[in-house]
Amino acid sequence: MTTVEKHEFPMTRTCPFAPPPAYEEIREEQPVSRVRLPDGGSAWVVSRHEDVRTVLNDRRFSADRQHPDFPQLVKGGAAFRRDDERTMLTMDAPEHGPARKAVLGEFTVRRMEALRPRIQEIVDGQIDALLAGPKPGDLVETLSLPVPSLVICEMLGVPYADHDFFQTHTAKLIKRSTTPEERRAAFQTVRGYLSDLIAEKEQNPPDDLLGRQIVKLREEGTYRRPALASLGFLLLVAGHETTANMISLSTVAFLTNPDQLALIKADPGRTLDAVEEMLRYFTIVDAATARLCVEDIEVGGQLIRAGEGVLALGYSANRDPRAFDDPDALDIERGARHHVAFGFGPHQCLGQNLARMELQIVFDTLFRRVPSLCLAAPVDDLPFKDDANIYGLYRLPVTW
């Protein structure tokens, strides 16, 4: 099989409802192939559903982003390897299991269900603000971003009053055009903010996620403030950026597919299936599941050698006709639970139960309370995040 580097990564979506056109070409013609990276290096892309799951569930592929050969999807990404505390996101076995287990109890289905009344209260409050505001209103500003931000801030014990500060800096982190120096500065600023916040909590640990971690890790004799600050950073960024963008994109999809919206309006019991389909359909965090091969292995008929980088393309996998019938259609009745929008294997998204619940509550509440909701601008005029590594919308003008 040829290893010519025909394509450059990451690619830009030319249509908000479809992957980059080259994804289908890669998946059908050369499903495991070489691509060029922004820093001048190269990596393998794995594009079919079965192969993506293989890569993400095999210990011969490492998540250690501190390794000098780990594939970087932004220029200057290697700068983050120098002195940062490792989190579960960048750990392999045997370190990964205990690190994940230490915080896994905060995200169980049972604990999420206990949060449901508070999340419902937050959603209702933000819809009140939308309805009391001007028409058209910006759904990103009034609902999509505040809901997950308020939820994750309350869980962590981070003052929501500081949301403009950390959202401004995290936006720089996910934007592809951010310079390495700006990216590093934004990262250090937010992590420094969290370190100072945790230092305050150390005096009398409160009953929030960060406070409980302080108590738990002290009892185990493993507490280190820098490590907890890095964990807090990971949860804060992942907890609001991803769900916020899914709320906005899914709202656009519902409003432009009234037949699908009618299904959940008629039967809210279908909303959870709709959530899964929206996650599959958009796959907003695509190649974050990068890996480094640490032992020779054959994937999809191609030998990948130790030391070579791999990008497991979740968006391509979630549009693979071998795994999903008519994959480019939006069909909330398809039963898409085997998608890989949350990754797969040991590093599968820790907060997926929280994200599902937030999306379910938002969809059920928004379209029940604002049944006449509609877009206030053509889809082609909407400011999609074509320049970001987490896809979404900068603004979403709506009226009713």
Side-chain angles (χ1 to χ4, degrees):
M1 179 179 293
T2 181
T3 58
V4 174
E5 297 163 7
K6 181 179 178 181
H7 299 288
E8 293 185 7
F9 267 69
M11 293 183 175
T12 299
R13 307 185 188 204
T14 57
C15 168
F17 305 120
Y23 275 29
E24 182 178 3
E25 173 193 336
I26 292 170
R27 188 178 59 241
E28 300 307 319
E29 297 180 9
Q30 197 173 337
V32 183
S33 54
R34 299 285 288 185
V35 297
R36 293 186 299 280
L37 300 179
D39 62 0
S42 63
W44 294 99
V45 291
V46 176
S47 57
R48 291 183 179 174
H49 187 269
E50 180 181 358
D51 295 337
V52 166
R53 285 164 62 112
T54 294
V55 168
L56 298 181
N57 201 37
D58 194 302
R59 290 189 177 187
R60 287 170 287 188
F61 294 99
S62 169
D64 182 8
R65 286 162 172 75
Q66 293 185 341
H67 193 286
D69 294 328
F70 196 89
Q72 300 295 329
L73 286 174
V74 293
K75 289 183 178 180
F80 285 85
R81 294 192 294 236
R82 295 174 190 158
D83 57 3
D84 299 331
E85 289 289 332
R86 299 177 69 198
T87 67
M88 69 187 84
L89 186 68
T90 67
M91 293 177 182
D92 297 321
E95 294 86 2
H96 174 260
R100 184 180 175 94
K101 185 178 179 181
V103 74
L104 186 63
E106 299 283 351
F107 293 93
T108 61
V109 172
R110 182 176 181 179
R111 187 175 282 273
M112 294 303 99
E113 283 297 327
L115 289 176
R116 183 180 288 273
R118 176 56 183 148
I119 297 174
Q120 183 67 62
E121 184 180 7
I122 289 171
V123 171
D124 279 325
Q126 293 308 132
I127 293 177
D128 287 343
L130 173 70
L131 295 175
K135 292 181 14 178
D138 179 8
L139 200 77
V140 171
E141 180 182 359
T142 54
L143 183 71
S144 304
L145 195 52
V147 167
S149 295
L150 277 161
V151 172
I152 197 63
C153 281
E154 290 189 8
M155 286 184 66
L156 292 174
V158 172
Y160 181 70
D162 296 334
H163 69 279
D164 282 340
F165 162 78
F166 61 75
Q167 285 168 0
T168 297
H169 289 288
T170 56
K172 294 178 182 177
L173 289 169
I174 64 173
K175 200 166 185 177
R176 293 175 185 169
S177 60
T178 301
T179 67
E181 294 75 20
E182 291 171 332
R183 196 181 307 280
R184 184 71 181 173
F187 175 76
Q188 291 178 330
T189 298
V190 177
R191 196 177 63 171
Y193 162 84
L194 287 167
S195 182
D196 292 343
L197 180 66
I198 290 167
E200 295 176 10
K201 293 178 183 288
E202 289 171 355
Q203 308 305 314
N204 185 22
D207 187 22
D208 53 41
L209 189 152
L210 293 175
R212 289 189 292 271
Q213 285 292 301
I214 291 171
V215 173
K216 175 184 175 68
L217 296 172
R218 278 176 171 171
E219 291 174 350
E220 296 173 355
T222 59
Y223 176 66
R224 294 177 58 253
R225 187 192 301 166
L228 186 56
S230 289
L231 174 63
F233 174 87
L234 173 64
L235 297 177
L236 182 64
V237 175
H240 77 270
E241 278 288 350
T242 51
T243 306
N245 286 309
M246 276 304 306
I247 290 171
S248 299
L249 290 169
S250 299
T251 299
V252 173
F254 276 127
L255 294 179
T256 54
N257 290 271
D259 57 324
Q260 300 294 294
L261 178 56
L263 292 174
I264 66 167
K265 282 184 173 182
D267 180 8
R270 290 176 166 173
T271 304
L272 280 176
D273 287 335
V275 168
E276 300 301 331
E277 176 66 349
M278 292 295 181
L279 289 163
R280 178 199 74 86
Y281 190 70
F282 286 110
T283 316
I284 61 171
V285 185
D286 182 14
T289 44
R291 295 291 186 267
L292 178 69
C293 183
V294 294
E295 182 181 333
D296 291 2
I297 178 176
E298 187 174 294
V299 177
Q302 171 64 51
L303 177 65
I304 299 177
R305 297 192 179 278
E308 295 181 329
V310 178
L311 308 180
L313 299 183
Y315 201 8
S316 176
N318 283 340
R319 295 297 184 97
D320 187 349
R322 297 157 193 80
F324 304 96
D325 292 335
D326 194 12
D328 293 327
L330 181 67
D331 179 7
I332 71 169
E333 297 182 293
R334 76 165 66 244
R337 297 241 1 157
H338 58 299
H339 65 75
V340 291
F342 287 123
F344 187 69
H347 284 85
Q348 192 170 34
C349 177
L350 183 72
Q352 59 183 293
N353 294 327
L354 175 60
R356 286 187 171 103
M357 177 175 291
E358 289 175 335
L359 293 170
Q360 178 192 15
I361 292 173
V362 167
F363 298 156
D364 280 342
T365 310
L366 177 63
F367 296 117
R368 172 177 52 81
R369 291 194 55 192
V370 197
S372 60
L373 188 75
C374 60
L375 298 178
V379 172
D380 289 345
D381 292 342
L382 297 178
F384 290 94
K385 294 183 178 179
D386 299 319
D387 57 347
N389 285 324
I390 299 179
Y391 193 63
L393 280 157
Y394 288 108
R395 296 179 304 281
L396 179 53
V398 293
T399 190
W400 53 94

